[in-house]
Amino acid sequence: MFCEGARTEPDYIEALKREPAIRDSASVEIRIDRTASGAVPLTLVNAAAAARHRDSQEQGEIDEVWCLFDVEWPRNHPRLREAREKAKASNVRLGISNPCFELWLVLHFEEHTAWLDSAYAGRLRRRHDRSSGKGLVGAEYMPRRAVAAKRARALAARHTRDGTEFPKDNPSSGMYLLLEAIESFG
């Protein structure tokens, strides 16, 4: 797992790893590669693709490689489409949040269907968890992750119905894809 964020996304993933259903599963091992955290999406995807390639050369045991990154609004990250194309060509899965990961966190507490910028998403998140910045207390989020996944899936379906294409699919979060890959919400 390669995360753009150096703190919030890894904190969330670490909390997810501690969940009994995941922790006790022999088929799931989640590792976070922190060497590329803080990088722009294309750099992150390049690092993930290189790790995927190294693993295949070594006949490793990695089944999936994921990158988690943001679009950012009002000013998008550069070369987002290229990052997506490289990920697809390199068999790297993506959990993209638009505008940012804080939207994913908001979806744990409320449905949000209106466009928003990164700053507003951060304010909404802080309204729910009273955080003072980066990082999070995973115990506040884990019991709500199935609801967040359902809300994120509904946003994706709405964008598909409306013909809204990336990166104009604000708000959206592909984090539900990661959760679906790890656990079943039925």
Side-chain angles (χ1 to χ4, degrees):
M1 182 120 8
F2 292 79
C3 304
E4 174 189 352
R7 181 126 182 255
T8 309
E9 291 90 330
D11 284 357
Y12 187 92
I13 299 304
E14 291 295 339
L16 186 61
K17 286 170 51 174
R18 288 189 297 271
E19 285 296 293
I22 295 165
R23 181 190 65 225
D24 299 339
S25 173
S27 64
V28 177
E29 180 187 349
I30 301 171
R31 288 179 282 175
I32 301 171
D33 185 317
R34 296 177 188 263
T35 59
S37 64
V40 296
L42 184 57
T43 302
L44 201 66
V45 169
N46 283 334
R52 165 64 94 191
H53 179 73
R54 276 190 312 276
D55 184 70
S56 68
Q57 298 295 94
E58 299 167 0
Q59 298 177 345
E61 298 179 6
I62 296 175
D63 294 320
E64 295 184 359
V65 175
W66 283 81
C67 281
L68 309 180
F69 61 82
D70 303 336
V71 170
E72 297 295 354
W73 283 93
R75 199 167 149 183
N76 296 168
H77 275 302
R79 303 169 75 186
L80 287 169
R81 287 192 193 278
E82 190 177 341
R84 286 183 69 208
E85 290 166 8
K86 171 78 177 205
K88 185 175 182 178
S90 303
N91 195 22
V92 171
R93 304 219 28 213
L94 300 176
I96 303 172
S97 294
N98 189 356
C100 56
F101 189 75
E102 284 70 19
L103 169 70
W104 169 246
L105 299 177
V106 168
L107 293 175
H108 286 68
F109 297 94
E110 70 178 61
E111 185 172 334
H112 189 89
T113 60
W115 185 94
L116 71 167
D117 65 19
S118 299
Y120 184 60
R123 287 193 301 276
L124 280 177
R125 178 248 170 135
R126 287 187 294 278
R127 186 177 78 199
H128 291 293
D129 72 6
R130 293 170 185 50
S131 70
S132 60
K134 297 296 181 181
L136 59 85
V137 176
E140 292 184 40
Y141 290 93
M142 293 303 107
R144 297 178 167 102
R145 67 189 186 276
V147 171
K150 181 179 177 184
R151 290 172 176 155
R153 192 179 315 104
L155 287 172
R158 186 188 83 183
H159 290 304
T160 298
R161 271 192 320 275
D162 295 346
T164 309
E165 294 183 11
F166 178 84
K168 295 180 180 178
D169 57 347
N170 179 331
S172 65
S173 179
M175 283 295 295
Y176 76 95
L177 298 168
L178 173 65
L179 270 70
E180 287 176 354
I182 294 171
E183 57 187 337
S184 173
F185 291 120

